[in-house]
Amino acid sequence: MKFQVRVPGESAGREVVVTAGPAFEATLDGAVLSGDALEVRPGIWSLVTVGGRQIEVSVDVGKDGAVRAAAAGTLFGFELLDALTARALLATGGRTARKARHVVAAMPGRVLRVLASPGDRVAQGQPVLVLEAMKMENEVKAPRDGVVASVEVAAGQAVSAGDVLLRFEAGGE
Amino acid sequence: MKFQVRVPGESAGREVVVTAGPAFEATLDGAVLSGDALEVRPGIWSLVTVGGRQIEVSVDVGKDGAVRAAAAGTLFGFELLDALTARALLATGGRTARKARHVVAAMPGRVLRVLASPGDRVAQGQPVLVLEAMKMENEVKAPRDGVVASVEVAAGQAVSAGDVLLRFEAGGE
Amino acid sequence: MSPPRLLIANRGEIAVRIIRACRDLGISPVAVYSEADRGALHVRLSDYAVPIGPPPARESYLVADRILAAAKATGATLLHPGFGFLSENADFARRAIDAGLVWVGPAPASIAAMGSKTESRQRMIAAGVPVVPGMTTPAESAGEIAAFGRENGFPLLLKAAAGGGGKGMRVVRSEPEVPEAFERTRSEAKSYFADDRVYAELLVEGARHVEVQILGDATGRVLALGERECSLQRRHQKVLEECPSAAVSPDLRARMESVAVAAGKAVDYVSAGTVEFLLAKDGRFFFLEMNTRIQVEHPVTEMVYGVDLVVEMIRIAQGGEMSMKEKPAARGHAIQCRIYAEDPARGFAPSPGRIGRLRRPQGPGIRVDSGVEDGDVVPLDYDPMVAKFIVWGKDRDEAFRRMRRALSEARIEGIETSIPFFLSLLDDPDVVANRVSTQFLDDWTWEPHRPPDDVAAASVVAAALSAMEASRKRRKGTVPEAPAGGLSAWRNARGPFGVRE
Amino acid sequence: MSPPRLLIANRGEIAVRIIRACRDLGISPVAVYSEADRGALHVRLSDYAVPIGPPPARESYLVADRILAAAKATGATLLHPGFGFLSENADFARRAIDAGLVWVGPAPASIAAMGSKTESRQRMIAAGVPVVPGMTTPAESAGEIAAFGRENGFPLLLKAAAGGGGKGMRVVRSEPEVPEAFERTRSEAKSYFADDRVYAELLVEGARHVEVQILGDATGRVLALGERECSLQRRHQKVLEECPSAAVSPDLRARMESVAVAAGKAVDYVSAGTVEFLLAKDGRFFFLEMNTRIQVEHPVTEMVYGVDLVVEMIRIAQGGEMSMKEKPAARGHAIQCRIYAEDPARGFAPSPGRIGRLRRPQGPGIRVDSGVEDGDVVPLDYDPMVAKFIVWGKDRDEAFRRMRRALSEARIEGIETSIPFFLSLLDDPDVVANRVSTQFLDDWTWEPHRPPDDVAAASVVAAALSAMEASRKRRKGTVPEAPAGGLSAWRNARGPFGVRE
């Protein structure tokens, strides 16, 4: 089976092709890796290559193809897309091209202070809110230059990860 | 909901009645136990009684109502039957009344030696086979006096837990 | 006769630590819990447990009335406050004692004397202990702080008068920063300590944080059990601690210990406590503050000196003598890494959530103190520390190698943690050579540890095999669309391929 | 320069233990595995792994050719044999050395000298070391053993000449028992050691098993690192070990250590080894045998003496000196419980299977060495030891309390284990007072630990709540009939209510 591998920050896509029995053979960037793969339990793989190299990988593949993997004390993050999904993304121009339209909470927390108001022109990196989480104050910064269209939260309010905190005016850069 | 509690080795049955919100109320042998129960994750319960007593219980209820529970470093074993199952059992005279008709392997292993042959009269406690498992020789003993009808395994053979090793003649006591 | 019961007015890792000391003494532990902690490990390991309110600490773990009522309801006769929360609240200690409880800690008067940073400074100056130049009373206004800065020079360190443990501290580099910093520090001080008083002192740059563990009992004996190196701090929060400090010679150790014992005796100290010093580059040291409670980093001292400090605290509180007549011999070297639920790849943003798979490091020289298990939730409401990895080695080099082993062996999934941060930190040549100061991490940028190429390739292959397997099962209709397993709480991947950074 | 690679010719807990020593030394570990162990922890923690055959040990872990081929294929330059399997096979050691590998263990000649129980007895007699009366050559027939018994009296102990670790031993109380016992011991000896030679010695009843750890290096230095009390044995298999022995006075310790060093020097011993003694009630002690390898119970010595024996073995094998010039100071007391996959409620029958939930004990003074994690399978084919719980305390009493804490805190589900056995054993007044001998457990019947009544009631209530929840979900059609969760591998309950027994 063939997948596109997209690495955030890299423009060129990679490709991985795998076949599997318990024996696997994979082609990644033209190099061939083969051996024996065992899914010890869901998401935990032990790979033993033909050369005898053993690597244990914890892997979590999200529904959208986002992958989190951990191996040898290191965390990896990339996207894995099958042929179908990759074509669909190609048609819409991919995911990363869009410009941020709003500021979302990266973590759950409580809004301590709101530092921007509708109509304000803010510069990229400027603090727009202070969120409290786990007893720490965390500044939320503007991801780009823009004009604030609305502030969706008020001081004291609890928010969840992914909640929209603030919206930009369209094209207000 | 009402359950019969059957404890191996005890003739009198007990009864437990539970209602649950997250708050629970249970009646066991006439005594009432109430408080707050949380299933922390499947099979792991934390009970906090009205008196403030906290007990963590790991519990595994089998399809047949057999229960394994672990709490405060102790293991418990009993049967839990709902009203329907209990009535069905009552009709057939229960499970424990039957006399052993055969000897089964209590563990997986390999037959090292067979010490009895068809037609042999064996006494309760007499070794009839030697099983090897985990590098130990384990004698399998006759559960009662009787006459061997057949031996179902041969030396060198691998067996699974529950496999019949040897059969008794009917009523040959 | 049923065993005595000890109520633990705390949560998380330290509550579990105290439960274990209770078990070692045959004492029955009593937990308290907020609504966020109903299913927490410290509850499940206790013999008794009492709910004390909603998740925010100020409505539960900081409510003295509820905690004292819980002790009464469960028949507890001892109370251990742990660290943070009410542990350095002299008024709470006094109320507990008035309610007939044995307070596992120093006398309220000792707490009060050391609890106010300004008062403790005055007492220490009177006792001849060297202190850093600083305000002798809390600041009434930002203007007072600015004036202190104009007189003594910048940078300053703003501190909560009732603070400790690195909470409620902030550096001010110049006068214009004063008003905002004053407001923020006051706000954090109020939310964490229910006391918004703040003061300023001169920041001695390039200094180390070195502290001495002391232990006193009712016979008047006060022992010093060596020092801990705690210079590696982020946002004024210690992240890695060592015992002993490689920067402290036997002679310096003896002098610091003797000053620490004098500081303890000046306030009639009974129980375990820590005298914190700033160790300047020129070898002078200044009293910073005294923590009148058990410290997060106490295990490194325990491993080197072979002493159970929490057990000693309980024995001493029960009226007994400490179990040693003199300082025990030191052996080897210990290091602790505080594992936080935070994301090094996103500026150490908090990462609460449900823990999926958990592999704790094991084996020779490794101790793990943790308040969570696999499947447990790390709530948003409290300190993000999920575990402490503590290692012992016969020397500092062996301890470093074992800590690298522990961090590499560990897996904590479902949340982000500071493990990748520590793996890189332990390879830094300055950290290895102990060329650090309390500012070291301010100037240090985390770069993820680079694994061999084939590890990165293997992660892609395993992901592809997983995806293929999932797709095969979906076609067969044996599983729902979402992947099985406990890892789905992990957020989407970010950062470049190969390594997350 | 890539790090050197060390092949571990073993599996399970000891393989994982050696992997950790490799990590601590910056050495890259290479695993070998049978088909039953493809997914085992020792494989997953290694950098390289090579399959060596089907599950039975004689087709995999005992096949020297495959192990040496695996070393060659992965470029390993060192080989550690662990314990059991080929660890005391002088021929294998010689072949490894001939293949250019560094053998992490004593010289083949030392193994050979000590490996045959009869030869080692002769060497020890020659060196003036006291030995128990016994046969000087292996028995050719049951008749020879009967003759030895008639001459020296019964009971006798039958032993595999190539044996060790308690395997292949059997007591014979009277002459009629000889033929069957001879056959059985031969059969076990052959299957475990591929060597069916058997001999007999007089059984000194009421004696203790006390052994001395020695460590020798190429400079000719041989140190003794105190003794271990290993009298608690079941089926001649040690189950609980302590360091030091409460039955050994400082004077006796010095004498035993000096004899152990003499024994080691008599065979030019290099590496870690153990000299086992029978300590009679009258204080005399007899050489039993010497194990020319790392011992299962080595961690108790490590904790008391602050030494990593496996690391020392590897250093010494690499041609280095041991890291100490003299015996280090002892500190405190350590105990080890061997946690087996076996069912105390059914005569300790083996209980292989898949482990469900696993809670390992943690915190101060606790070390866990284990070859399995939650979800792992304990195969039928090997030794049933799944973990070693090792605790350290400042004295024997604290160590006992901590071991009780560790055992109570632990949960191992899906299989039966010896944890309930140890919980009762540690409460036995004779065990607490150390009034034990190697026969102690022969006469000891396990009674389960009795918990408070409300614990039994809570287990019924939790079961009823679980059943109600399952029934509710079934009616809603959200789950299949079988209960979810990892516990379903547990067999049906047996034994009376309240406690399984």
Side-chain angles (χ1 to χ4, degrees), chain C residues 230-245:
Chain C
C230 310
S231 299
L232 289 173
Q233 306 189 354
R234 210 181 51 234
R235 300 169 180 165
H236 303 287
Q237 186 79 36
K238 297 164 191 165
V239 297
L240 183 152
E241 297 101 342
E242 301 183 44
C243 177
S245 166

mmCIF file with all atom_site columns, all heavy atoms in Angstrom, chain C residues 230-245:
data_model
loop_
_atom_site.group_PDB
_atom_site.id
_atom_site.type_symbol
_atom_site.label_atom_id
_atom_site.label_alt_id
_atom_site.label_comp_id
_atom_site.label_asym_id
_atom_site.label_entity_id
_atom_site.label_seq_id
_atom_site.pdbx_PDB_ins_code
_atom_site.Cartn_x
_atom_site.Cartn_y
_atom_site.Cartn_z
_atom_site.occupancy
_atom_site.B_iso_or_equiv
_atom_site.pdbx_formal_charge
_atom_site.auth_seq_id
_atom_site.auth_comp_id
_atom_site.auth_asym_id
_atom_site.auth_atom_id
_atom_site.pdbx_PDB_model_num
ATOM 1   N N   . CYS C 1 230 ? 20.227 23.057 42.752 1.00 0.00 ? 230 CYS C N   1
ATOM 2   C CA  . CYS C 1 230 ? 18.921 23.270 42.097 1.00 0.00 ? 230 CYS C CA  1
ATOM 3   C C   . CYS C 1 230 ? 18.981 24.453 41.155 1.00 0.00 ? 230 CYS C C   1
ATOM 4   O O   . CYS C 1 230 ? 18.018 25.201 41.014 1.00 0.00 ? 230 CYS C O   1
ATOM 5   C CB  . CYS C 1 230 ? 17.840 23.526 43.144 1.00 0.00 ? 230 CYS C CB  1
ATOM 6   S SG  . CYS C 1 230 ? 17.773 22.327 44.486 1.00 0.00 ? 230 CYS C SG  1
ATOM 7   N N   . SER C 1 231 ? 20.111 24.651 40.494 1.00 0.00 ? 231 SER C N   1
ATOM 8   C CA  . SER C 1 231 ? 20.257 25.846 39.656 1.00 0.00 ? 231 SER C CA  1
ATOM 9   C C   . SER C 1 231 ? 19.454 25.766 38.370 1.00 0.00 ? 231 SER C C   1
ATOM 10  O O   . SER C 1 231 ? 19.096 26.798 37.814 1.00 0.00 ? 231 SER C O   1
ATOM 11  C CB  . SER C 1 231 ? 21.735 26.072 39.333 1.00 0.00 ? 231 SER C CB  1
ATOM 12  O OG  . SER C 1 231 ? 22.461 26.286 40.527 1.00 0.00 ? 231 SER C OG  1
ATOM 13  N N   . LEU C 1 232 ? 19.197 24.564 37.895 1.00 0.00 ? 232 LEU C N   1
ATOM 14  C CA  . LEU C 1 232 ? 18.481 24.458 36.623 1.00 0.00 ? 232 LEU C CA  1
ATOM 15  C C   . LEU C 1 232 ? 17.001 24.736 36.858 1.00 0.00 ? 232 LEU C C   1
ATOM 16  O O   . LEU C 1 232 ? 16.262 23.895 37.380 1.00 0.00 ? 232 LEU C O   1
ATOM 17  C CB  . LEU C 1 232 ? 18.709 23.087 35.980 1.00 0.00 ? 232 LEU C CB  1
ATOM 18  C CG  . LEU C 1 232 ? 20.134 22.907 35.441 1.00 0.00 ? 232 LEU C CG  1
ATOM 19  C CD1 . LEU C 1 232 ? 20.355 21.479 34.962 1.00 0.00 ? 232 LEU C CD1 1
ATOM 20  C CD2 . LEU C 1 232 ? 20.419 23.881 34.295 1.00 0.00 ? 232 LEU C CD2 1
ATOM 21  N N   . GLN C 1 233 ? 16.594 25.945 36.476 1.00 0.00 ? 233 GLN C N   1
ATOM 22  C CA  . GLN C 1 233 ? 15.233 26.401 36.724 1.00 0.00 ? 233 GLN C CA  1
ATOM 23  C C   . GLN C 1 233 ? 14.676 27.000 35.446 1.00 0.00 ? 233 GLN C C   1
ATOM 24  O O   . GLN C 1 233 ? 15.398 27.636 34.682 1.00 0.00 ? 233 GLN C O   1
ATOM 25  C CB  . GLN C 1 233 ? 15.227 27.455 37.827 1.00 0.00 ? 233 GLN C CB  1
ATOM 26  C CG  . GLN C 1 233 ? 15.913 26.982 39.103 1.00 0.00 ? 233 GLN C CG  1
ATOM 27  C CD  . GLN C 1 233 ? 15.722 27.948 40.267 1.00 0.00 ? 233 GLN C CD  1
ATOM 28  O OE1 . GLN C 1 233 ? 15.165 29.030 40.104 1.00 0.00 ? 233 GLN C OE1 1
ATOM 29  N NE2 . GLN C 1 233 ? 16.186 27.534 41.442 1.00 0.00 ? 233 GLN C NE2 1
ATOM 30  N N   . ARG C 1 234 ? 13.400 26.804 35.240 1.00 0.00 ? 234 ARG C N   1
ATOM 31  C CA  . ARG C 1 234 ? 12.726 27.438 34.106 1.00 0.00 ? 234 ARG C CA  1
ATOM 32  C C   . ARG C 1 234 ? 11.542 28.196 34.671 1.00 0.00 ? 234 ARG C C   1
ATOM 33  O O   . ARG C 1 234 ? 10.752 27.620 35.423 1.00 0.00 ? 234 ARG C O   1
ATOM 34  C CB  . ARG C 1 234 ? 12.257 26.395 33.101 1.00 0.00 ? 234 ARG C CB  1
ATOM 35  C CG  . ARG C 1 234 ? 12.242 26.925 31.675 1.00 0.00 ? 234 ARG C CG  1
ATOM 36  C CD  . ARG C 1 234 ? 11.750 25.902 30.695 1.00 0.00 ? 234 ARG C CD  1
ATOM 37  N NE  . ARG C 1 234 ? 10.493 25.365 31.168 1.00 0.00 ? 234 ARG C NE  1
ATOM 38  C CZ  . ARG C 1 234 ? 10.251 24.079 31.330 1.00 0.00 ? 234 ARG C CZ  1
ATOM 39  N NH1 . ARG C 1 234 ? 11.150 23.194 31.039 1.00 0.00 ? 234 ARG C NH1 1
ATOM 40  N NH2 . ARG C 1 234 ? 9.080  23.678 31.764 1.00 0.00 ? 234 ARG C NH2 1
ATOM 41  N N   . ARG C 1 235 ? 11.427 29.446 34.322 1.00 0.00 ? 235 ARG C N   1
ATOM 42  C CA  . ARG C 1 235 ? 10.371 30.283 34.893 1.00 0.00 ? 235 ARG C CA  1
ATOM 43  C C   . ARG C 1 235 ? 10.423 30.203 36.420 1.00 0.00 ? 235 ARG C C   1
ATOM 44  O O   . ARG C 1 235 ? 9.391  30.069 37.077 1.00 0.00 ? 235 ARG C O   1
ATOM 45  C CB  . ARG C 1 235 ? 8.985  29.835 34.423 1.00 0.00 ? 235 ARG C CB  1
ATOM 46  C CG  . ARG C 1 235 ? 8.779  29.889 32.908 1.00 0.00 ? 235 ARG C CG  1
ATOM 47  C CD  . ARG C 1 235 ? 7.472  29.172 32.565 1.00 0.00 ? 235 ARG C CD  1
ATOM 48  N NE  . ARG C 1 235 ? 7.188  29.159 31.136 1.00 0.00 ? 235 ARG C NE  1
ATOM 49  C CZ  . ARG C 1 235 ? 6.295  28.378 30.569 1.00 0.00 ? 235 ARG C CZ  1
ATOM 50  N NH1 . ARG C 1 235 ? 5.582  27.548 31.308 1.00 0.00 ? 235 ARG C NH1 1
ATOM 51  N NH2 . ARG C 1 235 ? 6.086  28.425 29.279 1.00 0.00 ? 235 ARG C NH2 1
ATOM 52  N N   . HIS C 1 236 ? 11.640 30.220 36.972 1.00 0.00 ? 236 HIS C N   1
ATOM 53  C CA  . HIS C 1 236 ? 11.864 30.164 38.424 1.00 0.00 ? 236 HIS C CA  1
ATOM 54  C C   . HIS C 1 236 ? 11.340 28.902 39.070 1.00 0.00 ? 236 HIS C C   1
ATOM 55  O O   . HIS C 1 236 ? 11.100 28.851 40.274 1.00 0.00 ? 236 HIS C O   1
ATOM 56  C CB  . HIS C 1 236 ? 11.273 31.401 39.118 1.00 0.00 ? 236 HIS C CB  1
ATOM 57  C CG  . HIS C 1 236 ? 11.856 32.639 38.558 1.00 0.00 ? 236 HIS C CG  1
ATOM 58  N ND1 . HIS C 1 236 ? 13.144 33.014 38.826 1.00 0.00 ? 236 HIS C ND1 1
ATOM 59  C CD2 . HIS C 1 236 ? 11.357 33.546 37.686 1.00 0.00 ? 236 HIS C CD2 1
ATOM 60  C CE1 . HIS C 1 236 ? 13.404 34.122 38.150 1.00 0.00 ? 236 HIS C CE1 1
ATOM 61  N NE2 . HIS C 1 236 ? 12.350 34.462 37.446 1.00 0.00 ? 236 HIS C NE2 1
ATOM 62  N N   . GLN C 1 237 ? 11.164 27.887 38.267 1.00 0.00 ? 237 GLN C N   1
ATOM 63  C CA  . GLN C 1 237 ? 10.689 26.607 38.760 1.00 0.00 ? 237 GLN C CA  1
ATOM 64  C C   . GLN C 1 237 ? 11.843 25.636 38.561 1.00 0.00 ? 237 GLN C C   1
ATOM 65  O O   . GLN C 1 237 ? 12.355 25.508 37.451 1.00 0.00 ? 237 GLN C O   1
ATOM 66  C CB  . GLN C 1 237 ? 9.464  26.202 37.916 1.00 0.00 ? 237 GLN C CB  1
ATOM 67  C CG  . GLN C 1 237 ? 8.738  24.973 38.369 1.00 0.00 ? 237 GLN C CG  1
ATOM 68  C CD  . GLN C 1 237 ? 7.842  25.283 39.543 1.00 0.00 ? 237 GLN C CD  1
ATOM 69  O OE1 . GLN C 1 237 ? 7.247  26.331 39.634 1.00 0.00 ? 237 GLN C OE1 1
ATOM 70  N NE2 . GLN C 1 237 ? 7.749  24.337 40.469 1.00 0.00 ? 237 GLN C NE2 1
ATOM 71  N N   . LYS C 1 238 ? 12.261 24.974 39.637 1.00 0.00 ? 238 LYS C N   1
ATOM 72  C CA  . LYS C 1 238 ? 13.336 24.002 39.497 1.00 0.00 ? 238 LYS C CA  1
ATOM 73  C C   . LYS C 1 238 ? 12.888 22.872 38.569 1.00 0.00 ? 238 LYS C C   1
ATOM 74  O O   . LYS C 1 238 ? 11.734 22.442 38.650 1.00 0.00 ? 238 LYS C O   1
ATOM 75  C CB  . LYS C 1 238 ? 13.688 23.388 40.858 1.00 0.00 ? 238 LYS C CB  1
ATOM 76  C CG  . LYS C 1 238 ? 14.214 24.408 41.855 1.00 0.00 ? 238 LYS C CG  1
ATOM 77  C CD  . LYS C 1 238 ? 14.166 23.859 43.280 1.00 0.00 ? 238 LYS C CD  1
ATOM 78  C CE  . LYS C 1 238 ? 14.426 24.957 44.296 1.00 0.00 ? 238 LYS C CE  1
ATOM 79  N NZ  . LYS C 1 238 ? 14.037 24.569 45.665 1.00 0.00 ? 238 LYS C NZ  1
ATOM 80  N N   . VAL C 1 239 ? 13.785 22.415 37.714 1.00 0.00 ? 239 VAL C N   1
ATOM 81  C CA  . VAL C 1 239 ? 13.398 21.303 36.844 1.00 0.00 ? 239 VAL C CA  1
ATOM 82  C C   . VAL C 1 239 ? 14.274 20.066 37.066 1.00 0.00 ? 239 VAL C C   1
ATOM 83  O O   . VAL C 1 239 ? 13.840 18.949 36.830 1.00 0.00 ? 239 VAL C O   1
ATOM 84  C CB  . VAL C 1 239 ? 13.404 21.693 35.348 1.00 0.00 ? 239 VAL C CB  1
ATOM 85  C CG1 . VAL C 1 239 ? 12.388 22.787 35.067 1.00 0.00 ? 239 VAL C CG1 1
ATOM 86  C CG2 . VAL C 1 239 ? 14.784 22.108 34.877 1.00 0.00 ? 239 VAL C CG2 1
ATOM 87  N N   . LEU C 1 240 ? 15.507 20.278 37.519 1.00 0.00 ? 240 LEU C N   1
ATOM 88  C CA  . LEU C 1 240 ? 16.424 19.160 37.733 1.00 0.00 ? 240 LEU C CA  1
ATOM 89  C C   . LEU C 1 240 ? 17.239 19.468 38.977 1.00 0.00 ? 240 LEU C C   1
ATOM 90  O O   . LEU C 1 240 ? 17.758 20.572 39.115 1.00 0.00 ? 240 LEU C O   1
ATOM 91  C CB  . LEU C 1 240 ? 17.333 19.007 36.512 1.00 0.00 ? 240 LEU C CB  1
ATOM 92  C CG  . LEU C 1 240 ? 18.333 17.841 36.498 1.00 0.00 ? 240 LEU C CG  1
ATOM 93  C CD1 . LEU C 1 240 ? 18.624 17.429 35.058 1.00 0.00 ? 240 LEU C CD1 1
ATOM 94  C CD2 . LEU C 1 240 ? 19.646 18.163 37.192 1.00 0.00 ? 240 LEU C CD2 1
ATOM 95  N N   . GLU C 1 241 ? 17.334 18.507 39.875 1.00 0.00 ? 241 GLU C N   1
ATOM 96  C CA  . GLU C 1 241 ? 18.056 18.719 41.125 1.00 0.00 ? 241 GLU C CA  1
ATOM 97  C C   . GLU C 1 241 ? 19.056 17.602 41.338 1.00 0.00 ? 241 GLU C C   1
ATOM 98  O O   . GLU C 1 241 ? 18.822 16.468 40.927 1.00 0.00 ? 241 GLU C O   1
ATOM 99  C CB  . GLU C 1 241 ? 17.076 18.759 42.310 1.00 0.00 ? 241 GLU C CB  1
ATOM 100 C CG  . GLU C 1 241 ? 16.083 19.917 42.245 1.00 0.00 ? 241 GLU C CG  1
ATOM 101 C CD  . GLU C 1 241 ? 14.716 19.495 41.748 1.00 0.00 ? 241 GLU C CD  1
ATOM 102 O OE1 . GLU C 1 241 ? 14.601 18.405 41.133 1.00 0.00 ? 241 GLU C OE1 1
ATOM 103 O OE2 . GLU C 1 241 ? 13.747 20.235 41.979 1.00 0.00 ? 241 GLU C OE2 1
ATOM 104 N N   . GLU C 1 242 ? 20.158 17.938 41.997 1.00 0.00 ? 242 GLU C N   1
ATOM 105 C CA  . GLU C 1 242 ? 21.197 16.944 42.262 1.00 0.00 ? 242 GLU C CA  1
ATOM 106 C C   . GLU C 1 242 ? 21.605 16.968 43.727 1.00 0.00 ? 242 GLU C C   1
ATOM 107 O O   . GLU C 1 242 ? 21.523 17.995 44.382 1.00 0.00 ? 242 GLU C O   1
ATOM 108 C CB  . GLU C 1 242 ? 22.453 17.253 41.440 1.00 0.00 ? 242 GLU C CB  1
ATOM 109 C CG  . GLU C 1 242 ? 22.252 17.275 39.958 1.00 0.00 ? 242 GLU C CG  1
ATOM 110 C CD  . GLU C 1 242 ? 23.566 17.520 39.216 1.00 0.00 ? 242 GLU C CD  1
ATOM 111 O OE1 . GLU C 1 242 ? 24.581 16.897 39.583 1.00 0.00 ? 242 GLU C OE1 1
ATOM 112 O OE2 . GLU C 1 242 ? 23.565 18.335 38.283 1.00 0.00 ? 242 GLU C OE2 1
ATOM 113 N N   . CYS C 1 243 ? 22.077 15.846 44.211 1.00 0.00 ? 243 CYS C N   1
ATOM 114 C CA  . CYS C 1 243 ? 22.677 15.753 45.530 1.00 0.00 ? 243 CYS C CA  1
ATOM 115 C C   . CYS C 1 243 ? 23.887 14.839 45.393 1.00 0.00 ? 243 CYS C C   1
ATOM 116 O O   . CYS C 1 243 ? 23.730 13.722 44.926 1.00 0.00 ? 243 CYS C O   1
ATOM 117 C CB  . CYS C 1 243 ? 21.692 15.182 46.538 1.00 0.00 ? 243 CYS C CB  1
ATOM 118 S SG  . CYS C 1 243 ? 22.411 14.968 48.190 1.00 0.00 ? 243 CYS C SG  1
ATOM 119 N N   . PRO C 1 244 ? 25.087 15.227 45.754 1.00 0.00 ? 244 PRO C N   1
ATOM 120 C CA  . PRO C 1 244 ? 25.437 16.564 46.212 1.00 0.00 ? 244 PRO C CA  1
ATOM 121 C C   . PRO C 1 244 ? 25.582 17.529 45.034 1.00 0.00 ? 244 PRO C C   1
ATOM 122 O O   . PRO C 1 244 ? 25.363 17.134 43.884 1.00 0.00 ? 244 PRO C O   1
ATOM 123 C CB  . PRO C 1 244 ? 26.796 16.323 46.871 1.00 0.00 ? 244 PRO C CB  1
ATOM 124 C CG  . PRO C 1 244 ? 27.381 15.169 46.120 1.00 0.00 ? 244 PRO C CG  1
ATOM 125 C CD  . PRO C 1 244 ? 26.221 14.304 45.745 1.00 0.00 ? 244 PRO C CD  1
ATOM 126 N N   . SER C 1 245 ? 25.963 18.784 45.307 1.00 0.00 ? 245 SER C N   1
ATOM 127 C CA  . SER C 1 245 ? 26.288 19.726 44.243 1.00 0.00 ? 245 SER C CA  1
ATOM 128 C C   . SER C 1 245 ? 27.754 19.549 43.882 1.00 0.00 ? 245 SER C C   1
ATOM 129 O O   . SER C 1 245 ? 28.615 19.562 44.769 1.00 0.00 ? 245 SER C O   1
ATOM 130 C CB  . SER C 1 245 ? 26.048 21.166 44.698 1.00 0.00 ? 245 SER C CB  1
ATOM 131 O OG  . SER C 1 245 ? 26.673 22.051 43.777 1.00 0.00 ? 245 SER C OG  1
#
